[in-house]
Amino acid sequence: MTEKLDKLNNRKDWMSPEERVEFYLNNQKKIELNLDEFEIVKNENYWNQREMRLVSYRDFENTFTHWYCKHLVHLPKIRNLRVLPFYRTYKDLHSLMNFFHPFDRLGMDEVFKDSKYPLFYGEAGKTGHVQVIRKSRRSDDATSIIYNFRTLRLTLPCHVALKADNPWQKKADHVIWRGATTGQEQRVKLVDKYFDKYDIGFASVKQKPQLKGFKRNKVSIKDQLKYKFIISLEGNDVASNLRWILASNSVPIMKKPYWQSWIMEEKLKPNVHYLELNEDLSNLEEILSWAAINDDYCNEIAQNGKNYMSQFLVEKNDLPVQKLLLEEFTKRVSYIN
């Protein structure tokens, strides 16, 4: 699958590793990590205590945790286990697996193996102005650093989509959205507004049982890809379905992204990579009416998104960026008390 992506997509539209690393580092040429402040923020609440860690590769090298992350955590019957007897939470393992990849697969100099990295395993948790390394940050966050964490949840579905997808011409001229009730109220607003008009609804309402009237049947990625248009909405942080929609022959319909992650959402352009919803979500009907008479243009948008996303899915292109990011962080960081 990686070889197919490598051949089909236009590399000249991909960003250079150096450009990407500057984005992930928040364009910070010097990084001063105050260890006292790190400890204060870490102890502010229960989740930070669990999810903020100052670690090095050397801390884990040749340990059972390292072996487990390297050989087992990615396996289908293992990766969704949320509680393990020797570890606090599955998110830690998923993130550590990604942290280990550049060291294990590409090799890194001893200085980087010994370096300490301030990892944050969580999602939308607040870490103040501490320069933690996390999977996503808000658009107004000027300090946090992005790393390619949680790929089993966010990136693995892209490969499912690539295998299950249909050509644009064979897709239905309709829109679909399924999601959880997590995160911002915009999801509730979307479902309330369009539940009776389109195939839009909650797949699960466990967190907000009062919304059970807006629940619809769950739809697999394969079946969602039968539609030309798929809505993507942020929840606790990034929209988890955006990556696999971009990797497919369908078009994402979404608001301008507020959260940024490894795929650099702010680099996506409306009418180039996606069709843009208004802030109040009021223009969905207008978008679909326009799309109905601009089918070829929408097909082009889908292909632009697929090309954009492929730079993150071709491992021989993406893994060196992860390595360069950790190296640059080490070179730029200084630790103060």
Side-chain angles (χ1 to χ4, degrees), residues 9-26:
N9 290 281
N10 192 347
R11 281 175 169 257
K12 72 179 179 64
D13 293 329
W14 293 0
M15 292 182 65
S16 72
E18 293 76 17
E19 289 177 297
R20 288 178 56 183
V21 166
E22 291 305 323
F23 175 86
Y24 300 139
L25 289 172
N26 238 326

Side-chain angles (χ1 to χ4, degrees), residues 197-228:
K197 297 179 181 179
Y198 304 111
D199 193 356
I200 290 172
F202 292 114
S204 171
V205 295
K206 290 181 180 179
Q207 293 159 317
K208 297 178 181 178
Q210 70 273 20
L211 297 174
K212 63 182 180 179
F214 294 113
K215 188 175 184 295
R216 291 191 187 274
N217 60 305
K218 293 184 178 180
V219 183
S220 66
I221 290 176
K222 179 179 180 180
D223 286 336
Q224 289 188 56
L225 290 174
K226 294 177 181 178
Y227 292 70
K228 287 184 176 179

Side-chain angles (χ1 to χ4, degrees), residues 225-236:
L225 290 174
K226 294 177 181 178
Y227 292 70
K228 287 184 176 179
F229 306 99
I230 305 175
I231 293 173
S232 181
L233 283 182
E234 295 172 334
N236 288 327

Side-chain angles (χ1 to χ4, degrees), residues 39-290:
E39 287 299 317
I40 291 171
V41 173
K42 176 181 175 180
N43 291 300
E44 278 183 349
N45 58 66
Y46 170 78
W47 286 109
N48 281 11
Q49 289 175 7
R50 291 186 61 165
E51 297 177 338
M52 285 182 70
R53 292 287 182 272
L54 190 64
V55 306
S56 71
Y57 177 81
R58 195 75 76 190
D59 293 336
F60 293 96
E61 191 176 24
N62 300 320
T63 65
F64 179 69
T65 300
H66 177 239
W67 177 86
Y68 192 95
C69 289
K70 186 175 181 180
H71 298 289
L72 293 184
V73 75
H74 64 282
L75 299 178
K77 292 184 178 180
I78 300 293
R79 58 180 174 240
N80 289 323
L81 292 177
R82 292 174 178 256
V83 180
L84 296 167
F86 65 93
Y87 221 76
R88 294 187 177 188
T89 172
Y90 81 123
K91 286 194 293 187
D92 302 32
L93 294 171
H94 285 210
S95 297
L96 282 172
M97 178 198 74
N98 294 129
F99 172 67
F100 294 150
H101 279 168
F103 297 94
D104 293 336
R105 297 184 183 182
L106 298 181
M108 295 180 69
D109 291 342
E110 298 300 308
V111 64
F112 303 115
K113 292 182 180 181
D114 291 323
S115 297
K116 292 286 186 178
Y117 300 91
L119 306 187
F120 179 70
Y121 303 138
E123 297 181 354
K126 295 181 179 180
T127 53
H129 297 292
V130 177
Q131 287 96 330
V132 294
I133 300 173
R134 54 191 299 164
K135 82 177 180 72
S136 59
R137 65 177 179 236
R138 297 175 177 85
S139 296
D140 58 359
D141 182 342
T143 55
S144 294
I145 292 144
I146 292 174
Y147 189 74
N148 194 25
F149 287 138
R150 307 293 300 285
T151 57
L152 293 179
R153 174 174 175 257
L154 295 173
T155 306
L156 187 64
C158 296
H159 297 283
V160 174
L162 287 166
K163 292 178 181 178
D165 204 8
N166 304 300
W168 173 263
Q169 294 76 12
K170 293 186 177 181
K171 293 176 182 277
D173 291 307
H174 299 300
V175 66
I176 188 171
W177 182 80
R178 288 294 186 279
T181 54
T182 55
Q184 306 170 33
E185 287 300 311
Q186 64 179 353
R187 292 186 171 192
V188 177
K189 184 185 296 185
L190 175 84
V191 175
D192 180 55
K193 188 173 183 63
Y194 297 113
F195 183 80
D196 294 327
K197 297 179 181 179
Y198 304 111
D199 193 356
I200 290 172
F202 292 114
S204 171
V205 295
K206 290 181 180 179
Q207 293 159 317
K208 297 178 181 178
Q210 70 273 20
L211 297 174
K212 63 182 180 179
F214 294 113
K215 188 175 184 295
R216 291 191 187 274
N217 60 305
K218 293 184 178 180
V219 183
S220 66
I221 290 176
K222 179 179 180 180
D223 286 336
Q224 289 188 56
L225 290 174
K226 294 177 181 178
Y227 292 70
K228 287 184 176 179
F229 306 99
I230 305 175
I231 293 173
S232 181
L233 283 182
E234 295 172 334
N236 288 327
D237 60 350
V238 295
S240 59
N241 67 349
L242 179 58
R243 298 188 189 195
W244 63 258
I245 301 172
L246 286 170
S248 77
N249 294 317
S250 294
V251 172
I253 296 178
M254 55 187 267
K255 291 168 55 177
K256 181 180 179 181
Y258 176 65
W259 285 89
Q260 311 299 321
S261 73
W262 190 252
I263 67 168
M264 304 181 293
E265 283 85 348
E266 75 172 31
K267 303 296 183 183
L268 296 170
K269 300 176 182 177
N271 299 323
V272 176
H273 302 107
Y274 68 96
L275 296 176
E276 187 173 11
L277 282 168
N278 291 342
E279 187 65 28
D280 62 1
L281 311 177
S282 64
N283 65 329
L284 179 59
E285 293 171 273
E286 179 184 336
I287 288 173
L288 295 174
S289 295
W290 176 88

